[in-house]
Amino acid sequence: MAALDALNFDSKLDVGNNIRRFSRRYVDWVSRVMEQHKGPKMKRFRACFYLDRRFTTSIDRWIQIAMTKGVEILELEGHYAFPYKVLGLEKGPNCFGHNIFGFKSLKVVNFKHVDVAEEILEYLLSNCPGLEQLTVYASSNLANLRVVGSSSAALKYLAIKHCCLLESIQIREAANLVSFIYHGGSVSLLLSDVPLLTEVSIEEADWRVDSIRVVFPQLSRCILSQLEILMLDITPMTLDDDDFGPLQNHAFPILANLKQLELIVEADYCWSLHHLISFMKISPCLQRLVLKMKFVGWRRPKVKTAAKCPHPYIRVVEIVGYCGRACAAKHVMYLMENAVSLEIIVIDPVLNHSTDKRVEEVKEEVFAKYHAMQHIKNKVPSTIEFVCL
């Protein structure tokens, strides 16, 4: 645990089947420290443990104490619902009260595996004038999120990830929003009047939709033209390669200010290089390109040959998830030939940085590094720095 003004109750115990016993010990520990906290301020409060609804009263009390001490960073992780009473609310979307304790001091809010409905988030946005960062990960209650006008005056960073029931996100007149991240299923997405938005990351994991052709229409040409960093999952969500075809046949707006592009690609998909060309063409000022490679196995591994597409400004290429397959090497060679100002190429076999990996995964990563050193390094010109992590 850190200094007394930054309380981080992060339990890293492997509790196994004894979670009920350790839950009680964890709650008693946090409650004791919180009740004994004598300082006038609390900069950060973080609670990380899988607690069920039996401990709602205790969780309420922790947050109340943190709020009365003007907490700036609030981080909650665990399987429980965010308590309405902390906001001075009765449970229900229309029962708003006025007891918001020290919420006006909040700058950063992170919820992970915490059920927060949209009325909770909208209430926080409306009543936390200094809130700059909001992250919601794996909330099963969130259905429709609105971030509109004065309720988001200070918000600079918004991340919504893997909320299984989410249907729509509406962001309007968010004057200071710089970064927006959405990872999850297909949703209705509306962004408008976000003049400072320069970083967007969207991963829509839904096999029923073509993520590329859905995402671009949801981002207006005005927003696309102002982006400097874009991260997209462009893995094709169709079983029929011939029906999907290359993207050159589709008109996409120019990403005039884009400097960094990160794409999740299926390296063994037959049209993958053609899709890559499409993004290189619409990103004339691109300087850094990151490819995160997936291999689904049932795709035909032969990647169709792509025409040359010289790009004058790409200086850094990073290949994440590289494996010892011909299709992966083909992507690397294509970029070395077409990024005419390339200075650095980085090969990183690790796509999943989890510490809990199968032995087979570790062996594959070791082999991938060996493959890159044997089949890529000696083909890299001396003018390009080669890095294999």
PDB file of all heavy atoms in Angstrom, residues 7 10-11 33 52 60 71 74 76 100 107 157 184 187 189 206-207 209 230 234 288 290 300 303 305 321 324 342 349:
ATOM      1  N   LEU A   7      -4.407   5.381  -1.111  1.00  0.00           N
ATOM      2  CA  LEU A   7      -4.688   4.053  -0.569  1.00  0.00           C
ATOM      3  C   LEU A   7      -5.003   3.085  -1.695  1.00  0.00           C
ATOM      4  O   LEU A   7      -6.004   3.217  -2.396  1.00  0.00           O
ATOM      5  CB  LEU A   7      -5.857   4.124   0.413  1.00  0.00           C
ATOM      6  CG  LEU A   7      -5.655   5.064   1.606  1.00  0.00           C
ATOM      7  CD1 LEU A   7      -6.811   4.949   2.583  1.00  0.00           C
ATOM      8  CD2 LEU A   7      -4.336   4.766   2.320  1.00  0.00           C
ATOM      9  N   ASP A  10      -5.021  -3.406  -3.259  1.00  0.00           N
ATOM     10  CA  ASP A  10      -4.984  -4.359  -4.367  1.00  0.00           C
ATOM     11  C   ASP A  10      -4.508  -5.696  -3.825  1.00  0.00           C
ATOM     12  O   ASP A  10      -3.330  -5.895  -3.589  1.00  0.00           O
ATOM     13  CB  ASP A  10      -4.038  -3.849  -5.463  1.00  0.00           C
ATOM     14  CG  ASP A  10      -4.116  -4.718  -6.713  1.00  0.00           C
ATOM     15  OD1 ASP A  10      -4.754  -5.785  -6.662  1.00  0.00           O
ATOM     16  OD2 ASP A  10      -3.538  -4.329  -7.731  1.00  0.00           O
ATOM     17  N   SER A  11      -5.440  -6.621  -3.651  1.00  0.00           N
ATOM     18  CA  SER A  11      -5.090  -7.939  -3.150  1.00  0.00           C
ATOM     19  C   SER A  11      -4.706  -8.835  -4.310  1.00  0.00           C
ATOM     20  O   SER A  11      -5.482  -9.049  -5.235  1.00  0.00           O
ATOM     21  CB  SER A  11      -6.263  -8.561  -2.393  1.00  0.00           C
ATOM     22  OG  SER A  11      -5.939  -9.876  -2.000  1.00  0.00           O
ATOM     23  N   VAL A  33      -8.455   0.124   7.942  1.00  0.00           N
ATOM     24  CA  VAL A  33      -7.557   1.200   7.507  1.00  0.00           C
ATOM     25  C   VAL A  33      -8.348   2.475   7.204  1.00  0.00           C
ATOM     26  O   VAL A  33      -7.940   3.584   7.565  1.00  0.00           O
ATOM     27  CB  VAL A  33      -6.751   0.757   6.272  1.00  0.00           C
ATOM     28  CG1 VAL A  33      -5.916   1.920   5.725  1.00  0.00           C
ATOM     29  CG2 VAL A  33      -5.839  -0.420   6.617  1.00  0.00           C
ATOM     30  N   ASP A  52     -18.978  -9.800  -3.397  1.00  0.00           N
ATOM     31  CA  ASP A  52     -20.372  -9.912  -3.823  1.00  0.00           C
ATOM     32  C   ASP A  52     -21.231  -8.932  -3.030  1.00  0.00           C
ATOM     33  O   ASP A  52     -20.740  -8.112  -2.257  1.00  0.00           O
ATOM     34  CB  ASP A  52     -20.886 -11.351  -3.697  1.00  0.00           C
ATOM     35  CG  ASP A  52     -20.772 -11.886  -2.268  1.00  0.00           C
ATOM     36  OD1 ASP A  52     -20.948 -11.096  -1.321  1.00  0.00           O
ATOM     37  OD2 ASP A  52     -20.512 -13.090  -2.111  1.00  0.00           O
ATOM     38  N   ASP A  60     -20.048   0.850   0.483  1.00  0.00           N
ATOM     39  CA  ASP A  60     -20.645   2.184   0.612  1.00  0.00           C
ATOM     40  C   ASP A  60     -19.813   3.061   1.537  1.00  0.00           C
ATOM     41  O   ASP A  60     -19.500   4.221   1.227  1.00  0.00           O
ATOM     42  CB  ASP A  60     -22.058   2.079   1.182  1.00  0.00           C
ATOM     43  CG  ASP A  60     -23.051   1.536   0.178  1.00  0.00           C
ATOM     44  OD1 ASP A  60     -22.640   1.151  -0.920  1.00  0.00           O
ATOM     45  OD2 ASP A  60     -24.251   1.530   0.504  1.00  0.00           O
ATOM     46  N   VAL A  71     -11.288  12.801  -2.454  1.00  0.00           N
ATOM     47  CA  VAL A  71     -10.516  11.892  -3.289  1.00  0.00           C
ATOM     48  C   VAL A  71     -10.521  12.372  -4.753  1.00  0.00           C
ATOM     49  O   VAL A  71     -11.527  12.859  -5.262  1.00  0.00           O
ATOM     50  CB  VAL A  71     -11.068  10.454  -3.190  1.00  0.00           C
ATOM     51  CG1 VAL A  71     -12.439  10.328  -3.830  1.00  0.00           C
ATOM     52  CG2 VAL A  71     -10.091   9.458  -3.795  1.00  0.00           C
ATOM     53  N   LEU A  74     -10.540   7.567  -8.126  1.00  0.00           N
ATOM     54  CA  LEU A  74     -11.383   6.509  -7.571  1.00  0.00           C
ATOM     55  C   LEU A  74     -11.328   5.315  -8.506  1.00  0.00           C
ATOM     56  O   LEU A  74     -11.712   5.403  -9.678  1.00  0.00           O
ATOM     57  CB  LEU A  74     -12.818   6.981  -7.419  1.00  0.00           C
ATOM     58  CG  LEU A  74     -13.838   5.939  -6.921  1.00  0.00           C
ATOM     59  CD1 LEU A  74     -13.495   5.495  -5.502  1.00  0.00           C
ATOM     60  CD2 LEU A  74     -15.250   6.486  -7.002  1.00  0.00           C
ATOM     61  N   LEU A  76     -12.318   1.179  -8.684  1.00  0.00           N
ATOM     62  CA  LEU A  76     -13.003   0.045  -8.092  1.00  0.00           C
ATOM     63  C   LEU A  76     -12.953  -1.131  -9.052  1.00  0.00           C
ATOM     64  O   LEU A  76     -13.265  -0.989 -10.238  1.00  0.00           O
ATOM     65  CB  LEU A  76     -14.462   0.384  -7.775  1.00  0.00           C
ATOM     66  CG  LEU A  76     -14.718   1.546  -6.810  1.00  0.00           C
ATOM     67  CD1 LEU A  76     -16.214   1.789  -6.661  1.00  0.00           C
ATOM     68  CD2 LEU A  76     -14.091   1.274  -5.447  1.00  0.00           C
ATOM     69  N   ILE A 100     -23.734  14.412  -2.546  1.00  0.00           N
ATOM     70  CA  ILE A 100     -22.665  13.843  -3.360  1.00  0.00           C
ATOM     71  C   ILE A 100     -21.297  13.971  -2.697  1.00  0.00           C
ATOM     72  O   ILE A 100     -20.274  13.762  -3.329  1.00  0.00           O
ATOM     73  CB  ILE A 100     -22.629  14.499  -4.751  1.00  0.00           C
ATOM     74  CG1 ILE A 100     -22.376  15.998  -4.626  1.00  0.00           C
ATOM     75  CG2 ILE A 100     -23.879  14.218  -5.535  1.00  0.00           C
ATOM     76  CD1 ILE A 100     -22.103  16.660  -5.953  1.00  0.00           C
ATOM     77  N   LYS A 107     -11.115  13.538 -10.311  1.00  0.00           N
ATOM     78  CA  LYS A 107     -10.488  13.789 -11.610  1.00  0.00           C
ATOM     79  C   LYS A 107     -10.421  12.530 -12.464  1.00  0.00           C
ATOM     80  O   LYS A 107     -10.476  12.610 -13.691  1.00  0.00           O
ATOM     81  CB  LYS A 107      -9.075  14.352 -11.414  1.00  0.00           C
ATOM     82  CG  LYS A 107      -9.036  15.731 -10.774  1.00  0.00           C
ATOM     83  CD  LYS A 107      -7.608  16.233 -10.652  1.00  0.00           C
ATOM     84  CE  LYS A 107      -7.574  17.628 -10.032  1.00  0.00           C
ATOM     85  NZ  LYS A 107      -6.167  18.120  -9.878  1.00  0.00           N
ATOM     86  N   TYR A 157     -10.601  12.095 -21.462  1.00  0.00           N
ATOM     87  CA  TYR A 157     -10.349  10.690 -21.821  1.00  0.00           C
ATOM     88  C   TYR A 157     -11.562   9.854 -21.435  1.00  0.00           C
ATOM     89  O   TYR A 157     -12.003   9.879 -20.288  1.00  0.00           O
ATOM     90  CB  TYR A 157      -9.097  10.195 -21.086  1.00  0.00           C
ATOM     91  CG  TYR A 157      -8.790   8.726 -21.236  1.00  0.00           C
ATOM     92  CD1 TYR A 157      -7.892   8.286 -22.216  1.00  0.00           C
ATOM     93  CD2 TYR A 157      -9.366   7.775 -20.416  1.00  0.00           C
ATOM     94  CE1 TYR A 157      -7.589   6.937 -22.350  1.00  0.00           C
ATOM     95  CE2 TYR A 157      -9.080   6.424 -20.542  1.00  0.00           C
ATOM     96  CZ  TYR A 157      -8.181   6.010 -21.516  1.00  0.00           C
ATOM     97  OH  TYR A 157      -7.887   4.675 -21.646  1.00  0.00           O
ATOM     98  N   GLY A 184     -15.660  -3.643 -27.805  1.00  0.00           N
ATOM     99  CA  GLY A 184     -16.819  -4.452 -27.445  1.00  0.00           C
ATOM    100  C   GLY A 184     -17.612  -4.861 -28.666  1.00  0.00           C
ATOM    101  O   GLY A 184     -17.100  -4.867 -29.793  1.00  0.00           O
ATOM    102  N   VAL A 187     -22.225  -1.440 -31.659  1.00  0.00           N
ATOM    103  CA  VAL A 187     -23.125  -0.478 -31.013  1.00  0.00           C
ATOM    104  C   VAL A 187     -23.434   0.656 -31.986  1.00  0.00           C
ATOM    105  O   VAL A 187     -22.732   0.860 -32.981  1.00  0.00           O
ATOM    106  CB  VAL A 187     -22.504   0.122 -29.724  1.00  0.00           C
ATOM    107  CG1 VAL A 187     -22.279  -0.946 -28.674  1.00  0.00           C
ATOM    108  CG2 VAL A 187     -21.217   0.876 -30.037  1.00  0.00           C
ATOM    109  N   LEU A 189     -23.060   4.318 -32.576  1.00  0.00           N
ATOM    110  CA  LEU A 189     -22.086   5.286 -32.085  1.00  0.00           C
ATOM    111  C   LEU A 189     -22.300   6.630 -32.767  1.00  0.00           C
ATOM    112  O   LEU A 189     -22.300   6.725 -33.992  1.00  0.00           O
ATOM    113  CB  LEU A 189     -20.669   4.776 -32.366  1.00  0.00           C
ATOM    114  CG  LEU A 189     -19.500   5.668 -31.966  1.00  0.00           C
ATOM    115  CD1 LEU A 189     -19.503   5.920 -30.467  1.00  0.00           C
ATOM    116  CD2 LEU A 189     -18.190   5.031 -32.410  1.00  0.00           C
ATOM    117  N   ASP A 206     -17.739  -8.397 -33.450  1.00  0.00           N
ATOM    118  CA  ASP A 206     -19.061  -8.927 -33.767  1.00  0.00           C
ATOM    119  C   ASP A 206     -18.993  -9.561 -35.150  1.00  0.00           C
ATOM    120  O   ASP A 206     -18.832  -8.872 -36.157  1.00  0.00           O
ATOM    121  CB  ASP A 206     -20.097  -7.798 -33.760  1.00  0.00           C
ATOM    122  CG  ASP A 206     -21.531  -8.328 -33.843  1.00  0.00           C
ATOM    123  OD1 ASP A 206     -21.708  -9.471 -34.308  1.00  0.00           O
ATOM    124  OD2 ASP A 206     -22.454  -7.594 -33.449  1.00  0.00           O
ATOM    125  N   TRP A 207     -19.081 -10.880 -35.215  1.00  0.00           N
ATOM    126  CA  TRP A 207     -18.937 -11.586 -36.487  1.00  0.00           C
ATOM    127  C   TRP A 207     -20.057 -11.264 -37.464  1.00  0.00           C
ATOM    128  O   TRP A 207     -19.941 -11.497 -38.659  1.00  0.00           O
ATOM    129  CB  TRP A 207     -18.910 -13.097 -36.253  1.00  0.00           C
ATOM    130  CG  TRP A 207     -20.205 -13.658 -35.693  1.00  0.00           C
ATOM    131  CD1 TRP A 207     -20.535 -13.789 -34.384  1.00  0.00           C
ATOM    132  CD2 TRP A 207     -21.322 -14.128 -36.446  1.00  0.00           C
ATOM    133  NE1 TRP A 207     -21.788 -14.312 -34.249  1.00  0.00           N
ATOM    134  CE2 TRP A 207     -22.305 -14.548 -35.503  1.00  0.00           C
ATOM    135  CE3 TRP A 207     -21.604 -14.255 -37.810  1.00  0.00           C
ATOM    136  CZ2 TRP A 207     -23.528 -15.063 -35.886  1.00  0.00           C
ATOM    137  CZ3 TRP A 207     -22.833 -14.774 -38.193  1.00  0.00           C
ATOM    138  CH2 TRP A 207     -23.776 -15.179 -37.236  1.00  0.00           C
ATOM    139  N   VAL A 209     -21.128  -8.321 -38.350  1.00  0.00           N
ATOM    140  CA  VAL A 209     -20.965  -7.061 -39.070  1.00  0.00           C
ATOM    141  C   VAL A 209     -19.554  -6.944 -39.627  1.00  0.00           C
ATOM    142  O   VAL A 209     -18.613  -7.548 -39.134  1.00  0.00           O
ATOM    143  CB  VAL A 209     -21.247  -5.853 -38.154  1.00  0.00           C
ATOM    144  CG1 VAL A 209     -22.655  -5.898 -37.617  1.00  0.00           C
ATOM    145  CG2 VAL A 209     -20.236  -5.773 -37.015  1.00  0.00           C
ATOM    146  N   LEU A 230      -5.096   6.664 -34.601  1.00  0.00           N
ATOM    147  CA  LEU A 230      -6.275   5.836 -34.847  1.00  0.00           C
ATOM    148  C   LEU A 230      -5.906   4.378 -34.653  1.00  0.00           C
ATOM    149  O   LEU A 230      -4.906   3.897 -35.190  1.00  0.00           O
ATOM    150  CB  LEU A 230      -6.797   6.058 -36.271  1.00  0.00           C
ATOM    151  CG  LEU A 230      -7.989   5.182 -36.705  1.00  0.00           C
ATOM    152  CD1 LEU A 230      -9.211   5.457 -35.843  1.00  0.00           C
ATOM    153  CD2 LEU A 230      -8.307   5.405 -38.178  1.00  0.00           C
ATOM    154  N   ILE A 234      -9.479  -4.381 -37.970  1.00  0.00           N
ATOM    155  CA  ILE A 234      -9.994  -4.539 -39.331  1.00  0.00           C
ATOM    156  C   ILE A 234     -10.035  -6.012 -39.743  1.00  0.00           C
ATOM    157  O   ILE A 234     -10.026  -6.343 -40.923  1.00  0.00           O
ATOM    158  CB  ILE A 234      -9.170  -3.738 -40.349  1.00  0.00           C
ATOM    159  CG1 ILE A 234      -7.732  -4.254 -40.454  1.00  0.00           C
ATOM    160  CG2 ILE A 234      -9.193  -2.261 -40.026  1.00  0.00           C
ATOM    161  CD1 ILE A 234      -6.995  -3.720 -41.681  1.00  0.00           C
ATOM    162  N   ARG A 288       3.967   6.435 -38.112  1.00  0.00           N
ATOM    163  CA  ARG A 288       4.159   5.201 -37.338  1.00  0.00           C
ATOM    164  C   ARG A 288       3.003   4.244 -37.639  1.00  0.00           C
ATOM    165  O   ARG A 288       1.834   4.623 -37.532  1.00  0.00           O
ATOM    166  CB  ARG A 288       4.206   5.513 -35.838  1.00  0.00           C
ATOM    167  CG  ARG A 288       4.439   4.278 -34.956  1.00  0.00           C
ATOM    168  CD  ARG A 288       4.389   4.652 -33.462  1.00  0.00           C
ATOM    169  NE  ARG A 288       4.665   3.513 -32.624  1.00  0.00           N
ATOM    170  CZ  ARG A 288       5.888   3.174 -32.187  1.00  0.00           C
ATOM    171  NH1 ARG A 288       6.920   3.941 -32.523  1.00  0.00           N
ATOM    172  NH2 ARG A 288       6.061   2.126 -31.417  1.00  0.00           N
ATOM    173  N   VAL A 290       1.530   0.376 -36.721  1.00  0.00           N
ATOM    174  CA  VAL A 290       1.591  -0.800 -35.849  1.00  0.00           C
ATOM    175  C   VAL A 290       0.583  -1.821 -36.355  1.00  0.00           C
ATOM    176  O   VAL A 290      -0.602  -1.515 -36.491  1.00  0.00           O
ATOM    177  CB  VAL A 290       1.275  -0.430 -34.382  1.00  0.00           C
ATOM    178  CG1 VAL A 290       1.346  -1.674 -33.495  1.00  0.00           C
ATOM    179  CG2 VAL A 290       2.235   0.648 -33.879  1.00  0.00           C
ATOM    180  N   ARG A 300      -7.693 -19.402 -45.483  1.00  0.00           N
ATOM    181  CA  ARG A 300      -6.706 -19.894 -46.426  1.00  0.00           C
ATOM    182  C   ARG A 300      -5.414 -19.110 -46.194  1.00  0.00           C
ATOM    183  O   ARG A 300      -5.400 -17.872 -46.268  1.00  0.00           O
ATOM    184  CB  ARG A 300      -7.194 -19.696 -47.867  1.00  0.00           C
ATOM    185  CG  ARG A 300      -8.381 -20.563 -48.211  1.00  0.00           C
ATOM    186  CD  ARG A 300      -8.569 -20.639 -49.726  1.00  0.00           C
ATOM    187  NE  ARG A 300      -8.872 -19.341 -50.313  1.00  0.00           N
ATOM    188  CZ  ARG A 300     -10.112 -18.863 -50.431  1.00  0.00           C
ATOM    189  NH1 ARG A 300     -11.135 -19.573 -49.989  1.00  0.00           N
ATOM    190  NH2 ARG A 300     -10.321 -17.680 -50.986  1.00  0.00           N
ATOM    191  N   VAL A 303      -1.703 -15.481 -48.831  1.00  0.00           N
ATOM    192  CA  VAL A 303      -2.073 -14.077 -48.935  1.00  0.00           C
ATOM    193  C   VAL A 303      -1.891 -13.622 -50.381  1.00  0.00           C
ATOM    194  O   VAL A 303      -0.850 -13.850 -50.989  1.00  0.00           O
ATOM    195  CB  VAL A 303      -1.203 -13.221 -47.997  1.00  0.00           C
ATOM    196  CG1 VAL A 303      -1.508 -11.745 -48.169  1.00  0.00           C
ATOM    197  CG2 VAL A 303      -1.423 -13.650 -46.549  1.00  0.00           C
ATOM    198  N   THR A 305      -1.102 -11.521 -53.580  1.00  0.00           N
ATOM    199  CA  THR A 305      -0.069 -10.532 -53.892  1.00  0.00           C
ATOM    200  C   THR A 305      -0.695  -9.148 -54.056  1.00  0.00           C
ATOM    201  O   THR A 305      -1.762  -9.000 -54.654  1.00  0.00           O
ATOM    202  CB  THR A 305       0.670 -10.918 -55.177  1.00  0.00           C
ATOM    203  OG1 THR A 305       1.244 -12.215 -54.992  1.00  0.00           O
ATOM    204  CG2 THR A 305       1.773  -9.917 -55.490  1.00  0.00           C
ATOM    205  N   GLY A 321       2.727  -9.586 -32.264  1.00  0.00           N
ATOM    206  CA  GLY A 321       2.093 -10.889 -32.466  1.00  0.00           C
ATOM    207  C   GLY A 321       2.688 -11.643 -33.636  1.00  0.00           C
ATOM    208  O   GLY A 321       2.053 -12.552 -34.181  1.00  0.00           O
ATOM    209  N   GLY A 324       6.016 -17.461 -36.669  1.00  0.00           N
ATOM    210  CA  GLY A 324       6.840 -18.050 -37.715  1.00  0.00           C
ATOM    211  C   GLY A 324       6.033 -18.621 -38.858  1.00  0.00           C
ATOM    212  O   GLY A 324       6.087 -19.826 -39.116  1.00  0.00           O
ATOM    213  N   LEU A 342      11.557   4.359 -44.224  1.00  0.00           N
ATOM    214  CA  LEU A 342      11.574   3.549 -43.003  1.00  0.00           C
ATOM    215  C   LEU A 342      12.926   3.644 -42.290  1.00  0.00           C
ATOM    216  O   LEU A 342      13.976   3.513 -42.911  1.00  0.00           O
ATOM    217  CB  LEU A 342      11.270   2.087 -43.344  1.00  0.00           C
ATOM    218  CG  LEU A 342      11.013   1.143 -42.166  1.00  0.00           C
ATOM    219  CD1 LEU A 342       9.799   1.593 -41.371  1.00  0.00           C
ATOM    220  CD2 LEU A 342      10.815  -0.288 -42.662  1.00  0.00           C
ATOM    221  N   PRO A 349       6.978 -10.728 -30.869  1.00  0.00           N
ATOM    222  CA  PRO A 349       6.161 -11.938 -30.967  1.00  0.00           C
ATOM    223  C   PRO A 349       5.017 -11.999 -29.959  1.00  0.00           C
ATOM    224  O   PRO A 349       4.118 -12.835 -30.101  1.00  0.00           O
ATOM    225  CB  PRO A 349       7.169 -13.073 -30.687  1.00  0.00           C
ATOM    226  CG  PRO A 349       8.517 -12.452 -30.798  1.00  0.00           C
ATOM    227  CD  PRO A 349       8.342 -11.018 -30.421  1.00  0.00           C
TER     228      PRO A 349
END
